Amino acid sequence: STGNLKWTVKSRTLNQSTDDTRPYDMKVDQNGSVYITGTNDCSRSGFGYFQIFENANGSITSHEGGGFFASKINKNGVCEWIRSADYSYYGHGYELALKDDSLYIIGIVRNNGQPIASVKFYNSDNSYFQLTTHQSNYFMATFDTTGYIHNLLTNTNHPNQYYHPEGFNGMFKGVNENFYIAANIRTQIGTSYIVEFDDTLAAPNG
């Protein structure tokens, strides 16, 4: 490796003045393909806005949907696909793990001022998974490297009175289908317990 620049790509929200498109995590596979998750500004803008990648060869890859997004850029600097949830006011992909040709992503979808969000995560063939989640909860999505979503779940259906003000600090997949997640948790005053994947835990103090 010589450290020479091979290519660059740029991603933004088309036809939106604020363009709040940000990556939060990225992984590279053994073939040199790059997988990115983050947020765009499509959701808060309503319908008709697109996230685009300006590719290294001058082409454009675009997708209508958002705020949460996941994408793949191949070793030549061309975005092969973008996936998202349909319209919720907030959407973020925070952590991405890549193992055995599968992508595991932790994120959130929320509606502005509403306790419940119900959104669809679409595949390219218009099949989808539907997720209904409370505003204080998060999801885990499993994609293959072609961008097809295979599984989607939330950490709990319980309306936890806590949230992740700093997002997540790390996630990886271990052996025997075990996942390890690190996050900051802040509870509201008076909260005595929280629920994580059907485990009831005492609320942290402080």
Side-chain angles (χ1 to χ4, degrees):
S1 178
T2 63
N4 293 327
L5 179 66
K6 290 187 175 181
W7 47 260
T8 61
V9 297
K10 177 182 178 181
S11 184
R12 59 192 178 92
T13 307
L14 190 64
N15 297 329
Q16 167 57 285
S17 59
T18 58
D19 186 13
D20 190 20
T21 301
R22 290 176 285 173
Y24 285 128
D25 201 5
M26 176 182 75
K27 295 292 187 294
V28 182
D29 69 15
Q30 60 185 0
N31 299 314
S33 294
V34 180
Y35 302 88
I36 301 172
T37 191
T39 185
N40 60 44
D41 203 29
C42 291
S43 300
R44 283 167 289 212
S45 309
F47 293 93
Y49 293 89
F50 293 79
Q51 181 180 358
I52 68 169
F53 277 82
E54 300 173 2
N55 298 314
N57 62 2
S59 64
I60 298 290
T61 304
S62 66
H63 177 77
E64 182 181 9
F68 155 79
F69 81 88
S71 61
K72 177 182 180 179
I73 302 168
N74 66 27
K75 65 179 181 180
N76 298 313
V78 176
C79 180
E80 294 188 356
W81 50 260
I82 307 169
R83 297 289 183 267
S84 69
D86 64 3
Y87 291 91
S88 60
Y89 192 82
Y90 297 106
H92 297 77
Y94 284 117
E95 296 288 335
L96 187 156
L98 173 63
K99 189 170 184 179
D100 300 328
D101 294 324
S102 292
L103 311 176
Y104 306 94
I105 297 176
I106 285 179
I108 62 107
V109 287
R110 295 173 183 164
N111 284 329
N112 191 27
Q114 301 295 321
I116 301 295
S118 184
V119 298
K120 296 175 181 177
F121 289 64
Y122 281 98
N123 286 308
S124 58
D125 61 2
N126 288 324
S127 64
Y128 63 86
F129 281 78
Q130 184 151 358
L131 178 73
T132 300
T133 181
H134 192 270
Q135 62 183 356
S136 61
N137 300 330
Y138 58 90
F139 69 82
M140 178 182 286
T142 303
F143 296 84
D144 63 29
T145 56
T146 70
Y148 201 90
I149 185 168
H150 290 271
N151 195 25
L152 180 67
L153 57 88
T154 182
N155 63 314
T156 178
N157 289 320
H158 182 80
N160 281 317
Q161 297 301 307
Y162 73 93
Y163 57 99
H164 302 275
E166 304 300 328
F168 294 82
N169 301 315
M171 185 263 290
F172 69 91
K173 183 175 186 290
V175 298
N176 298 325
E177 300 300 316
N178 292 319
F179 291 86
Y180 299 85
I181 302 168
N184 295 329
I185 295 177
R186 180 181 299 174
T187 57
Q188 295 181 351
I189 295 174
T191 300
S192 59
Y193 67 93
I194 60 176
V195 180
E196 286 285 296
F197 296 103
D198 296 326
D199 287 332
T200 301
L201 310 172
N205 182 17

